[in-house]
Tab-separated table of all heavy atoms in Angstrom:
chain	number	residue	atom	x	y	z
A	1	ARG	N	0.759	-1.212	-0.066
A	1	ARG	CA	0.069	-0.066	-0.037
A	1	ARG	C	0.863	1.217	0.028
A	1	ARG	O	0.402	2.328	-0.467
A	1	ARG	CB	-0.894	0.010	1.113
A	1	ARG	CG	-2.159	-1.035	0.978
A	1	ARG	CD	-2.998	-1.009	2.216
A	1	ARG	NE	-3.975	-2.066	2.151
A	1	ARG	CZ	-5.146	-2.078	1.288
A	1	ARG	NH1	-5.367	-0.972	0.637
A	1	ARG	NH2	-5.861	-2.944	1.423
A	2	GLU	N	2.073	1.071	0.557
A	2	GLU	CA	2.928	2.282	0.597
A	2	GLU	C	3.807	2.355	-0.713
A	2	GLU	O	4.618	3.364	-0.752
A	2	GLU	CB	3.825	2.237	1.849
A	2	GLU	CG	3.121	2.506	3.137
A	2	GLU	CD	3.881	2.316	4.291
A	2	GLU	OE1	5.150	1.932	4.228
A	2	GLU	OE2	3.275	2.638	5.472
A	3	GLY	N	3.678	1.484	-1.578
A	3	GLY	CA	4.401	1.517	-2.868
A	3	GLY	C	5.803	1.092	-2.659
A	3	GLY	O	6.677	1.509	-3.554
A	4	LYS	N	6.118	0.397	-1.634
A	4	LYS	CA	7.517	-0.092	-1.349
A	4	LYS	C	7.912	-1.253	-1.937
A	4	LYS	O	8.559	-2.088	-1.294
A	4	LYS	CB	7.818	-0.001	0.121
A	4	LYS	CG	7.749	1.445	0.584
A	4	LYS	CD	7.959	1.328	2.176
A	4	LYS	CE	7.772	2.858	2.704
A	4	LYS	NZ	8.000	2.918	4.192
A	5	THR	N	7.231	-1.850	-3.040
A	5	THR	CA	7.442	-3.113	-3.614
A	5	THR	C	7.745	-2.899	-5.132
A	5	THR	O	7.597	-1.869	-5.623
A	5	THR	CB	6.228	-4.119	-3.410
A	5	THR	OG1	5.120	-3.535	-4.207
A	5	THR	CG2	5.861	-4.087	-2.045
A	6	ASP	N	8.111	-4.101	-5.779
A	6	ASP	CA	8.261	-4.004	-7.230
A	6	ASP	C	6.899	-4.040	-8.044
A	6	ASP	O	6.943	-4.170	-9.340
A	6	ASP	CB	9.191	-5.038	-7.637
A	6	ASP	CG	10.578	-4.880	-7.076
A	6	ASP	OD1	10.937	-3.717	-6.691
A	6	ASP	OD2	11.220	-5.935	-6.872
A	7	LEU	N	5.838	-4.082	-7.407
A	7	LEU	CA	4.601	-4.274	-8.001
A	7	LEU	C	4.144	-2.953	-8.621
A	7	LEU	O	4.228	-1.787	-8.143
A	7	LEU	CB	3.472	-4.713	-7.014
A	7	LEU	CG	3.692	-5.960	-6.361
A	7	LEU	CD1	2.646	-6.264	-5.289
A	7	LEU	CD2	3.598	-7.198	-7.320
A	8	ASP	N	3.468	-2.915	-9.829
A	8	ASP	CA	2.911	-1.705	-10.337
A	8	ASP	C	1.533	-1.570	-9.648
A	8	ASP	O	0.969	-2.638	-9.143
A	8	ASP	CB	2.812	-1.839	-11.903
A	8	ASP	CG	1.919	-2.888	-12.426
A	8	ASP	OD1	0.668	-2.826	-12.113
A	8	ASP	OD2	2.326	-3.806	-13.146
A	9	PRO	N	0.932	-0.428	-9.687
A	9	PRO	CA	-0.322	-0.179	-8.966
A	9	PRO	C	-1.462	-1.084	-9.358
A	9	PRO	O	-2.250	-1.560	-8.567
A	9	PRO	CB	-0.692	1.174	-9.327
A	9	PRO	CG	0.596	1.915	-9.612
A	9	PRO	CD	1.467	0.764	-10.197
A	10	LYS	N	-1.589	-1.437	-10.646
A	10	LYS	CA	-2.633	-2.421	-11.052
A	10	LYS	C	-2.406	-3.691	-10.399
A	10	LYS	O	-3.403	-4.301	-9.965
A	10	LYS	CB	-2.723	-2.316	-12.566
A	10	LYS	CG	-3.818	-3.325	-13.023
A	10	LYS	CD	-3.762	-3.452	-14.625
A	10	LYS	CE	-4.946	-4.398	-15.022
A	10	LYS	NZ	-4.733	-4.924	-16.338
A	11	GLU	N	-1.254	-4.243	-10.504
A	11	GLU	CA	-0.965	-5.487	-9.927
A	11	GLU	C	-1.101	-5.567	-8.512
A	11	GLU	O	-1.712	-6.546	-7.939
A	11	GLU	CB	0.409	-5.961	-10.431
A	11	GLU	CG	0.815	-7.424	-9.969
A	11	GLU	CD	2.163	-7.820	-10.413
A	11	GLU	OE1	3.034	-6.882	-10.718
A	11	GLU	OE2	2.487	-9.079	-10.427
A	12	ALA	N	-0.700	-4.528	-7.803
A	12	ALA	CA	-0.845	-4.441	-6.242
A	12	ALA	C	-2.451	-4.535	-6.027
A	12	ALA	O	-2.851	-5.246	-5.168
A	12	ALA	CB	-0.406	-3.127	-5.771
A	13	GLY	N	-3.222	-3.702	-6.790
A	13	GLY	CA	-4.763	-3.725	-6.520
A	13	GLY	C	-5.359	-5.189	-6.736
A	13	GLY	O	-6.156	-5.606	-5.967
A	14	GLU	N	-4.817	-5.875	-7.882
A	14	GLU	CA	-5.183	-7.195	-8.034
A	14	GLU	C	-4.968	-8.205	-6.951
A	14	GLU	O	-5.695	-9.080	-6.553
A	14	GLU	CB	-4.737	-7.750	-9.404
A	14	GLU	CG	-5.361	-6.957	-10.600
A	14	GLU	CD	-4.538	-7.323	-11.916
A	14	GLU	OE1	-3.520	-8.026	-11.829
A	14	GLU	OE2	-4.992	-6.787	-13.001
A	15	ILE	N	-3.693	-7.967	-6.395
A	15	ILE	CA	-3.367	-8.875	-5.391
A	15	ILE	C	-4.058	-8.633	-4.044
A	15	ILE	O	-4.548	-9.515	-3.397
A	15	ILE	CB	-1.803	-8.729	-5.028
A	15	ILE	CG1	-0.930	-9.328	-6.226
A	15	ILE	CG2	-1.350	-9.209	-3.717
A	15	ILE	CD1	0.491	-9.123	-6.164
A	16	ILE	N	-4.288	-7.417	-3.779
A	16	ILE	CA	-5.136	-7.047	-2.639
A	16	ILE	C	-6.533	-7.595	-2.776
A	16	ILE	O	-7.099	-8.174	-1.779
A	16	ILE	CB	-5.197	-5.491	-2.390
A	16	ILE	CG1	-3.822	-4.964	-1.937
A	16	ILE	CG2	-6.349	-5.036	-1.484
A	16	ILE	CD1	-3.679	-3.552	-2.094
A	17	GLU	N	-7.217	-7.539	-3.905
A	17	GLU	CA	-8.484	-8.017	-4.125
A	17	GLU	C	-8.513	-9.650	-3.931
A	17	GLU	O	-9.389	-10.259	-3.378
A	17	GLU	CB	-9.057	-7.658	-5.418
A	17	GLU	CG	-9.405	-6.185	-5.474
A	17	GLU	CD	-10.428	-5.752	-4.436
A	17	GLU	OE1	-11.308	-6.362	-4.247
A	17	GLU	OE2	-10.106	-4.744	-3.828
A	18	LYS	N	-7.445	-10.327	-4.574
A	18	LYS	CA	-7.393	-11.692	-4.373
A	18	LYS	C	-7.260	-12.191	-2.913
A	18	LYS	O	-7.813	-13.078	-2.393
A	18	LYS	CB	-6.277	-12.264	-5.233
A	18	LYS	CG	-6.569	-12.210	-6.771
A	18	LYS	CD	-5.342	-12.736	-7.491
A	18	LYS	CE	-5.777	-12.690	-9.024
A	18	LYS	NZ	-4.504	-13.061	-9.788
A	19	PHE	N	-6.484	-11.316	-2.146
A	19	PHE	CA	-6.272	-11.645	-0.760
A	19	PHE	C	-7.586	-11.454	-0.002
A	19	PHE	O	-7.832	-12.299	0.834
A	19	PHE	CB	-5.148	-10.807	-0.144
A	19	PHE	CG	-4.726	-11.394	1.112
A	19	PHE	CD1	-3.934	-12.577	1.222
A	19	PHE	CD2	-5.096	-10.737	2.297
A	19	PHE	CE1	-3.452	-12.991	2.438
A	19	PHE	CE2	-4.691	-11.224	3.500
A	19	PHE	CZ	-3.797	-12.308	3.562
A	20	LYS	N	-8.382	-10.510	-0.380
A	20	LYS	CA	-9.614	-10.347	0.281
A	20	LYS	C	-10.520	-11.650	0.032
A	20	LYS	O	-11.240	-12.016	1.025
A	20	LYS	CB	-10.343	-9.126	-0.319
A	20	LYS	CG	-9.778	-7.783	0.226
A	20	LYS	CD	-10.578	-6.645	-0.386
A	20	LYS	CE	-9.966	-5.238	0.129
A	20	LYS	NZ	-10.714	-4.226	-0.581
A	21	VAL	N	-10.535	-12.142	-1.038
A	21	VAL	CA	-11.255	-13.401	-1.403
A	21	VAL	C	-10.681	-14.437	-0.524
A	21	VAL	O	-11.619	-15.225	0.021
A	21	VAL	CB	-11.116	-13.797	-2.880
A	21	VAL	CG1	-11.748	-15.099	-3.119
A	21	VAL	CG2	-11.784	-12.796	-3.794
A	22	THR	N	-9.450	-14.561	-0.322
A	22	THR	CA	-8.904	-15.632	0.653
A	22	THR	C	-9.424	-15.394	2.044
A	22	THR	O	-9.696	-16.342	2.734
A	22	THR	CB	-7.396	-15.592	0.534
A	22	THR	OG1	-6.882	-15.799	-0.803
A	22	THR	CG2	-6.707	-16.510	1.471
A	23	LEU	N	-9.455	-14.165	2.407
A	23	LEU	CA	-10.011	-13.825	3.857
A	23	LEU	C	-11.454	-14.282	4.023
A	23	LEU	O	-11.768	-14.912	5.017
A	23	LEU	CB	-9.768	-12.343	4.136
A	23	LEU	CG	-8.362	-11.850	4.159
A	23	LEU	CD1	-8.394	-10.366	4.408
A	23	LEU	CD2	-7.650	-12.576	5.480
A	24	VAL	N	-12.231	-13.998	2.960
A	24	VAL	CA	-13.689	-14.326	3.020
A	24	VAL	C	-13.767	-15.786	3.062
A	24	VAL	O	-14.597	-16.334	3.767
A	24	VAL	CB	-14.414	-13.706	1.862
A	24	VAL	CG1	-15.812	-14.310	1.694
A	24	VAL	CG2	-14.486	-12.230	1.972
A	25	LYS	N	-12.954	-16.564	2.235
A	25	LYS	CA	-13.061	-18.011	2.241
A	25	LYS	C	-12.601	-18.595	3.540
A	25	LYS	O	-13.178	-19.621	4.002
A	25	LYS	CB	-12.172	-18.547	1.141
A	25	LYS	CG	-12.742	-18.447	-0.351
A	25	LYS	CD	-11.940	-18.924	-1.387
A	25	LYS	CE	-12.696	-18.648	-2.682
A	25	LYS	NZ	-11.934	-19.345	-3.816
A	26	THR	N	-11.581	-17.998	4.246
A	26	THR	CA	-11.104	-18.420	5.473
A	26	THR	C	-12.328	-18.206	6.506
A	26	THR	O	-12.487	-19.195	7.376
A	26	THR	CB	-9.863	-17.669	5.972
A	26	THR	OG1	-8.863	-17.856	4.901
A	26	THR	CG2	-9.402	-18.152	7.307
A	27	SER	N	-13.002	-17.148	6.490
A	27	SER	CA	-14.145	-16.960	7.410
A	27	SER	C	-15.130	-18.074	7.205
A	27	SER	O	-15.749	-18.579	8.148
A	27	SER	CB	-14.637	-15.599	7.185
A	27	SER	OG	-15.802	-15.303	8.094
A	28	ASP	N	-15.390	-18.350	5.849
A	28	ASP	CA	-16.494	-19.253	5.547
A	28	ASP	C	-16.093	-20.677	6.072
A	28	ASP	O	-16.930	-21.377	6.547
A	28	ASP	CB	-16.694	-19.379	4.074
A	28	ASP	CG	-17.358	-18.114	3.454
A	28	ASP	OD1	-17.959	-17.333	4.230
A	28	ASP	OD2	-17.246	-18.046	2.198
A	29	ILE	N	-14.827	-21.011	6.086
A	29	ILE	CA	-14.279	-22.290	6.487
A	29	ILE	C	-14.427	-22.333	8.040
A	29	ILE	O	-14.942	-23.378	8.654
A	29	ILE	CB	-12.922	-22.510	6.061
A	29	ILE	CG1	-12.834	-22.895	4.566
A	29	ILE	CG2	-12.304	-23.701	6.928
A	29	ILE	CD1	-11.430	-22.792	3.970
A	30	LEU	N	-14.085	-21.223	8.725
A	30	LEU	CA	-14.252	-21.187	10.218
A	30	LEU	C	-15.780	-21.286	10.544
A	30	LEU	O	-16.074	-21.934	11.525
A	30	LEU	CB	-13.717	-19.851	10.667
A	30	LEU	CG	-12.203	-19.775	10.804
A	30	LEU	CD1	-11.703	-18.458	11.223
A	30	LEU	CD2	-11.557	-20.921	11.722
A	31	LYS	N	-16.663	-20.630	9.762
A	31	LYS	CA	-18.057	-20.857	10.061
A	31	LYS	C	-18.532	-22.272	9.922
A	31	LYS	O	-19.297	-22.853	10.726
A	31	LYS	CB	-18.921	-19.951	9.184
A	31	LYS	CG	-20.425	-20.074	9.487
A	31	LYS	CD	-21.270	-19.039	8.780
A	31	LYS	CE	-22.728	-19.166	9.014
A	31	LYS	NZ	-23.335	-20.117	9.961
A	32	TYR	N	-18.083	-22.967	8.838
A	32	TYR	CA	-18.368	-24.304	8.627
A	32	TYR	C	-17.975	-25.181	9.711
A	32	TYR	O	-18.678	-26.070	10.253
A	32	TYR	CB	-17.685	-24.684	7.174
A	32	TYR	CG	-17.780	-26.249	7.076
A	32	TYR	CD1	-18.992	-26.860	6.511
A	32	TYR	CD2	-16.703	-27.119	7.336
A	32	TYR	CE1	-19.030	-28.176	6.345
A	32	TYR	CE2	-16.869	-28.498	7.064
A	32	TYR	CZ	-17.956	-29.008	6.555
A	32	TYR	OH	-18.006	-30.384	6.365
A	33	ILE	N	-16.631	-25.040	10.256
A	33	ILE	CA	-16.123	-25.687	11.304
A	33	ILE	C	-17.043	-25.479	12.662
A	33	ILE	O	-17.281	-26.476	13.362
A	33	ILE	CB	-14.759	-25.436	11.511
A	33	ILE	CG1	-13.727	-25.914	10.354
A	33	ILE	CG2	-14.131	-25.998	12.820
A	33	ILE	CD1	-12.466	-25.406	10.327
A	34	ALA	N	-17.280	-24.282	12.877
A	34	ALA	CA	-18.040	-23.904	13.980
A	34	ALA	C	-19.425	-24.547	13.951
A	34	ALA	O	-20.008	-25.125	14.952
A	34	ALA	CB	-18.220	-22.390	14.115
A	35	ASP	N	-20.119	-24.493	12.768
A	35	ASP	CA	-21.390	-25.261	12.658
A	35	ASP	C	-21.306	-26.608	12.837
A	35	ASP	O	-22.203	-27.178	13.535
A	35	ASP	CB	-22.022	-24.950	11.218
A	35	ASP	CG	-22.387	-23.431	11.057
A	35	ASP	OD1	-22.590	-22.695	11.990
A	35	ASP	OD2	-22.622	-23.045	9.870
A	36	LYS	N	-20.342	-27.327	12.268
A	36	LYS	CA	-20.119	-28.810	12.486
A	36	LYS	C	-19.868	-29.113	13.920
A	36	LYS	O	-20.334	-30.265	14.437
A	36	LYS	CB	-18.961	-29.314	11.687
A	36	LYS	CG	-19.260	-29.302	10.153
A	36	LYS	CD	-20.315	-30.281	9.714
A	36	LYS	CE	-19.760	-31.405	9.099
A	36	LYS	NZ	-20.915	-32.427	8.630
A	37	ALA	N	-19.308	-28.197	14.688
A	37	ALA	CA	-18.912	-28.488	16.035
A	37	ALA	C	-20.018	-27.969	16.998
A	37	ALA	O	-19.918	-28.217	18.261
A	37	ALA	CB	-17.589	-27.790	16.356
């Protein structure tokens, strides 16, 4: 976010969005585990 990487802004934005998807999926998995338990 501070631009201290070799990523161009478009690629940085894409990576951030992909990581958000990973976070949502992680939450969904935790909900699944909690429901099963």
Side-chain angles (χ1 to χ4, degrees):
R1 290 181 184 280
E2 292 175 355
K4 296 179 180 177
T5 68
D6 295 335
L7 299 170
D8 65 63
K10 181 180 180 204
E11 188 177 17
E14 290 170 355
I15 287 172
I16 290 169
E17 290 306 310
K18 287 178 183 177
F19 194 74
K20 286 180 182 179
V21 170
T22 301
L23 293 173
V24 168
K25 287 181 180 181
T26 301
S27 179
D28 290 345
I29 290 167
L30 286 173
K31 179 170 181 4
Y32 171 81
I33 294 167
D35 288 348
K36 289 295 254 183

